[in-house]
Amino acid sequence: MTGLVLAQAATGAADTVTTGEAVAFWILGPLALAGGLGMLFARNAVHSALWLAMSMLSLGVLYMVQQAPFLGFVQIIVYTGAVMMLFLFVLMLVGRDSSDSVVEVLRGQRLAASVFGLGFGVLVVAAVARSLTQVTPAGLNQVNTTGGGNVSNIGRSLFTDYLFPFELTSALLITAALGAMVLAFTGHDRKRRTQRETVVARFRGEHARPSPLPGPGVFATANSVATPALLQDGSVAPESLSEIIEATAAEQLAEDLAEVSGRVAGPDPRALRGPAGTATAPPGASATAGASAAEGES
Amino acid sequence: MTVLEAAHTSLGGFLAQVTPIQAPEIDYAAILPMLIVLGAACVGVLFEAFLPRYQRWSWQVALTLLTLVGAGLALVVYLRDNPQQGVVTLAGVLSVDRPALFLWGTLLVLAFGAVLLIADRSVEPGGAFVSHAAVRPGTIQDRAQAARLGMQTEVFPLTLFALGGMMVFCASNNLLTMFIALEVLSLPLYLMCGLARRRRLLSQEAAVKYFLLGAFASAFFLYGVALLYGYANSVRLRDIAEAAAGTNRSDTLLYAGLGLLVVGLLFKASVGPFHAWTPDVYQGAPTPVTAFMAACTKVAAFGGILRVLTGAFQATSWEWRGVLWGVAIVSMIIGAVLGLTQTDIKRMIAYSSVAHAGFLLVGSIALTGEGLSGTLFYLLAYGFTTVAAFGVVSLVRTADGEATHLSQWAGLAKRSPLVAGVFTFLLLALAGIPLTSGFIGKFVVFSAALKDGMAPLVVVALLASAVAAFFYLRVVVLMYFSEPSPEGPTVSVPGSFTMVAITLGTVITFVLGVWPAFVLDWAGAGGFAFSTT
């Protein structure tokens, strides 16, 4: 459809709004507007970015319809393709579930901001609408047909009239790169301690204990890092329990221990003797943990 | 081989069709100071890449100071035989005329003082900048780096980039160049605000606030440029003036564009109701950066305002002058009244800068030769006083860093009579007492406004100066007539860099107060040049 519209725009009479152009506008305009509104009101940052991408795509096609194919493709390739996708990458890296706070720091701020924002919007729309109703459009027909066409003319003005601003943007890019380095790169100049120095520091008392913390009971009884390590008497080594992992395995172990040592009223012998694989059998982890605990006690 | 030949012939055929473009003429002698600054900024980035960390500080300081001196020399050499009406070069994009040269000179000398403050490592051991900005504040690594003495030496190339952007900003003859220059000067400043060694969260908050509001203001500026382009079919100041003078097309686009454009400019100059970022950013940023920002950004922003108003909107001044009257009044009142209620010395100077921005706007909207020269003089005088004042603020310290709360300044004269004396002199200059540059600056600006028929505005400005003088004098009284608290701050003995910066600022504040004729002559040497011929 875009191709059709483009063809019409190219072959149609100079600088008049063809039917195809009008149709394209009435389809793409609302889409772009919906994209903008969607970006504002989406709860999720990723959805916001995608709404914005839709808005930009519609604008890109609109540029093509309006005799500026180069600008349209740049809009789609650079903005939608590169910038928005980079933006999405960053969102994904940072974590997409960081929601904005709903606490209003200044009272009445939202209301005032909406009122003023709406007023400003009405003013701008009215001003632009008023000043653009009786204007004859300049059109791009002349630029597109003389001097090697649209792209050549853009290139020409970049290297003549706008040579200096074009060069100056390099300062902007260098600053941006430098800023990203400053804010994100910590550098490697901190010296790593050798193993020997670490051991010396441990015995000097820089750490809470000279030996490393006991590891979890992984592979002794189970393959979960939440499995506690056991001391010689079968009790749980408290330092092997992580603070941030739920110690379900440790609780189960404590229950099994209580059962085996007879501190629970009415132990169920089937818990230990039941054949493996039956529906009533306890999970293997707790059974073996109990067995190893009994072994430790003996 | 045949493929290559075919490609060669087809390329040759293509090249034969295309007419060669005419590269714009460049007057290298005129723009040499700016090229030196921007080029040295790039060299500074290469230093960061290739020098080991422990050598960077000394190389960067040497490079930056040499650059400023070199650019100043280039400017002086060019000043000896430059055309009176100015030069418009690079396809009409840059205009190196007398006001631009004056502003360049002002920027270079002010930046010299600010760079000395930035480079200082004696007042705060290791300098005012953090050694690794990427380390998150409050973590173990952050506590470990607090003891380390290095600093993020990227601030030096960033300062030079910002300075280069400012120089382009006040010489650009075309709104698009002005926008890019605005970004070039702002982006390094946003970054430098967040690099304080102490109170890092406050500093980072300041940087984010400045960045967000600055991006917002840039969007306003750009929207204004778009509307003006829609009106005049050009972004050149001269073309906009011509379009505004002789057409019967709807003026709505012109005034909507002007309004949005001016919002962007006034934001950078921290004028009136667009000042909301100023106190927070001045307080949170490292003090040398605050000095650089307060002095140089104001010079660049008002240089831009003067050029845009004179170049593009002089013919329509009857329509917009009332609005800018109102803005100037609001700015003076906000600065003077809110300055009274401040308890932090850096915030107080920030509000004082809002009031001064109002005074400067009074001179800028006069649009006469006297208004132009008066505003230029005021910018120079205010810049030096501010750099020296922030230099003094960085000297008064407790164990936690700078003692910026006003109550800590009580009885400072008994601890250090010299520092209190210098600061008193600078405050009097900010208040505009005779024998200081502040008095002459206010005098020339207000008399230009009076001659242009803005008597009511001058009355308001005088009242606002009187109110503002009250809060400067309050600090003086606090320093001289209160008892110092036993656990009060100490006054550091400045190293040579800070010493030179404060001395430079103070001496120039005094010299301009008693012998202003030389600088006033230079400021009034000529008007803007806009035409492309």
Side-chain angles (χ1 to χ4, degrees):
Chain A
M1 190 204 137
T2 309
L4 186 73
V5 170
L6 268 179
Q8 277 190 355
T11 54
D15 301 333
T16 51
V17 179
T18 57
T19 327
E21 192 177 337
V23 171
F25 173 77
W26 286 110
I27 294 173
L28 293 170
L31 272 182
L33 195 64
L37 289 176
M39 188 206 82
L40 277 182
F41 292 111
R43 285 263 165 218
N44 190 323
V46 173
H47 294 173
S48 267
L50 291 175
W51 279 114
L52 187 61
M54 187 181 94
S55 197
M56 285 173 166
L57 279 174
S58 319
L59 287 181
V61 179
L62 270 180
Y63 293 151
M64 292 177 203
V65 172
Q66 293 183 328
Q67 300 176 321
F70 181 70
L71 183 62
F73 279 109
V74 166
Q75 165 90 9
I76 289 177
I77 294 168
V78 177
Y79 269 109
T80 325
V83 176
M84 276 319 292
M85 292 312 121
L86 269 182
F87 197 78
L88 273 179
F89 279 162
V90 172
L91 274 183
M92 297 291 191
L93 282 178
V94 171
R96 55 170 197 80
D97 57 356
S98 49
S99 54
D100 46 348
S101 84
V102 287
V103 184
E104 217 176 3
V105 184
L106 301 172
R107 225 152 45 96
Q109 183 195 20
R110 271 159 208 257
L111 184 70
S114 341
V115 169
F116 282 117
L118 213 63
F120 176 72
V122 168
L123 260 181
V124 169
V125 169
V128 173
R130 208 185 116 190
S131 52
L132 291 186
T133 40
Q134 309 129 338
V135 173
T136 48
L140 292 174
N141 213 23
Q142 194 203 344
V143 185
N144 282 345
T145 47
T146 57
N150 195 321
V151 180
S152 295
N153 283 327
I154 291 177
R156 186 183 299 274
S157 60
L158 267 190
F159 284 99
T160 53
D161 288 353
Y162 297 102
L163 176 68
F164 183 66
F166 181 63
E167 296 286 341
L168 194 62
T169 42
S170 62
L172 213 54
L173 293 179
I174 296 174
T175 312
L178 196 61
M181 289 286 285
V182 167
L183 292 183
F185 181 64
T186 40
H188 298 301
D189 64 346
R190 260 183 300 146
K191 263 204 293 181
R192 281 269 172 88
R193 259 187 190 165
T194 61
Q195 212 163 9
R196 185 190 189 91
E197 286 164 346
T198 314
V199 172
V200 171
R202 275 185 198 286
F203 278 91
R204 282 218 182 99
E206 277 185 29
H207 294 62
R209 48 188 283 159
S211 68
L213 289 171
V218 180
F219 294 134
T221 58
N223 57 1
S224 156
V225 81
T227 315
L230 299 180
L231 297 175
Q232 290 88 330
D233 59 350
S235 61
V236 170
E239 288 140 320
S240 71
L241 292 174
S242 168
E243 283 175 18
I244 52 173
I245 301 174
E246 275 184 46
T248 327
E251 284 161 20
Q252 267 179 6
L253 178 67
E255 281 171 21
D256 288 347
L257 273 178
E259 249 175 52
V260 171
S261 56
R263 270 176 279 151
V264 179
D268 185 3
R270 274 176 302 172
L272 288 175
R273 280 183 292 156
T278 59
T280 53
S286 69
T288 46
S292 77
E295 226 173 69
E297 264 181 342
S298 67
Chain B
M1 204 52 202
T2 48
V3 178
L4 270 182
E5 275 170 7
H8 191 255
T9 45
S10 72
L11 187 66
F14 176 70
L15 285 179
Q17 286 172 4
V18 178
T19 49
I21 59 168
Q22 200 77 38
E25 278 181 32
I26 304 173
D27 188 343
Y28 283 105
I31 60 169
L32 190 59
M34 187 197 74
L35 291 183
I36 289 177
V37 169
L38 286 174
C42 295
V43 175
V45 174
L46 292 181
F47 278 8
E48 286 299 317
F50 291 112
L51 286 179
R53 195 174 273 275
Y54 64 93
Q55 289 182 357
R56 286 184 200 164
W57 181 85
S58 33
W59 280 86
Q60 292 283 19
V61 172
L63 173 74
T64 313
L65 292 179
L66 276 179
T67 303
L68 294 177
V69 171
L73 282 180
L75 188 68
V76 170
V77 169
Y78 181 69
L79 272 177
R80 287 201 312 197
D81 55 353
N82 65 323
Q84 163 71 28
Q85 74 278 11
V87 171
V88 177
T89 183
L90 274 161
V93 158
L94 280 188
S95 150
V96 187
D97 44 26
R98 289 294 164 90
L101 289 170
F102 183 89
L103 288 166
W104 282 8
T106 310
L107 282 171
L108 286 172
V109 187
L110 289 178
F112 190 81
V115 165
L116 288 178
L117 289 181
I118 289 173
D120 187 277
R121 295 198 295 186
S122 62
V123 177
E124 163 98 53
F129 294 90
V130 70
S131 63
H132 288 288
V135 175
R136 280 172 64 192
T139 53
I140 303 170
Q141 291 87 347
D142 188 39
R143 283 194 286 280
Q145 76 161 348
R148 239 173 294 145
L149 288 186
M151 70 141 100
Q152 199 92 55
T153 40
E154 284 88 349
V155 286
F156 295 103
L158 287 176
T159 311
L160 286 181
F161 271 126
L163 180 67
M166 289 166 187
M167 291 172 76
V168 177
F169 189 72
C170 51
S172 57
N173 228 349
N174 144 340
L175 292 175
L176 198 66
T177 315
M178 205 169 221
F179 175 72
I180 293 173
L182 182 74
E183 293 302 303
V184 172
L185 82 88
S186 309
L187 215 55
L189 285 178
Y190 301 146
L191 199 60
M192 283 154 73
C193 283
L195 299 183
R197 178 180 287 271
R198 311 269 191 155
R199 296 178 197 152
R200 291 189 57 205
L201 275 180
L202 202 65
S203 159
Q204 293 186 349
E205 187 197 330
V208 170
K209 209 171 258 185
Y210 193 21
F211 174 63
L212 288 179
L213 290 177
F216 206 53
S218 294
F220 270 100
F221 187 94
L222 201 56
Y223 204 165
V225 174
L227 292 187
L228 286 172
Y229 181 74
Y231 176 77
N233 193 21
S234 168
V235 286
R236 289 208 179 119
L237 297 180
R238 171 46 56 95
D239 293 348
I240 294 171
E242 277 171 7
T247 58
N248 52 357
R249 65 190 109 175
S250 158
D251 279 344
T252 322
L253 275 185
L254 176 70
Y255 295 120
L258 168 67
L260 294 172
L261 186 77
V262 163
V263 167
L265 289 170
L266 294 181
F267 174 88
K268 275 291 155 207
S270 72
V271 180
F274 314 103
H275 71 286
W277 59 278
T278 316
D280 291 340
V281 174
Y282 276 29
Q283 186 187 17
T287 306
V289 174
T290 314
F292 179 60
M293 212 160 51
C296 294
T297 313
K298 197 148 270 183
V299 173
F302 272 101
I305 290 176
L306 279 168
R307 187 175 287 277
V308 165
L309 290 186
T310 318
F313 300 105
Q314 192 155 26
T316 47
S317 67
W318 182 248
E319 313 278 343
W320 51 258
R321 198 187 256 186
V323 179
L324 287 189
W325 265 55
V327 170
I329 290 175
V330 169
S331 183
M332 290 184 286
I333 291 178
I334 287 179
V337 173
L338 290 187
L340 279 178
T341 62
Q342 299 306 313
T343 53
D344 185 285
I345 193 111
K346 279 167 93 176
R347 289 184 84 85
M348 194 200 81
I349 301 181
Y351 276 106
S352 132
S353 93
V354 175
H356 281 285
F359 301 142
L360 281 161
L361 195 58
V362 172
S364 308
I365 59 181
L367 295 187
T368 56
E370 281 153 356
L372 173 66
S373 67
T375 313
L376 292 181
F377 179 85
Y378 199 121
L379 283 170
L380 178 70
Y382 174 75
F384 275 110
T385 314
T386 314
V387 168
F390 278 113
V392 174
V393 167
S394 72
L395 294 183
V396 181
R397 316 179 68 84
T398 62
D400 300 333
E402 285 160 10
T404 52
H405 199 271
L406 269 183
S407 65
Q408 291 169 304
W409 285 60
L412 200 74
K414 296 196 175 63
R415 274 180 216 280
S416 174
L418 180 64
V419 167
V422 168
F423 199 60
T424 305
F425 177 70
L426 295 172
L427 286 177
L428 292 180
L430 287 177
I433 307 293
L435 284 186
T436 64
S437 62
F439 173 73
I440 307 284
K442 281 204 173 103
F443 181 78
V444 289
V445 164
F446 292 164
S447 62
L450 264 183
K451 273 190 199 149
D452 205 42
M454 297 197 283
L457 195 56
V458 173
V459 172
V460 176
L462 287 176
L463 283 178
S465 337
V467 176
F470 178 75
F471 65 75
Y472 300 124
L473 291 179
R474 197 177 56 157
V475 179
V476 175
V477 169
L478 197 68
M479 286 194 297
Y480 280 92
F481 302 108
S482 309
E483 281 305 311
S485 68
E487 68 274 12
T490 53
V491 177
S492 316
V493 178
S496 48
F497 281 167
T498 302
M499 183 94 87
V500 171
I502 296 177
T503 315
L504 184 78
T506 315
V507 167
I508 290 187
T509 302
F510 178 69
V511 168
L512 291 186
V514 293
W515 188 51
F518 165 67
V519 176
L520 274 176
D521 283 348
W522 188 27
F528 287 113
F530 296 104
S531 74
T532 51
T533 52

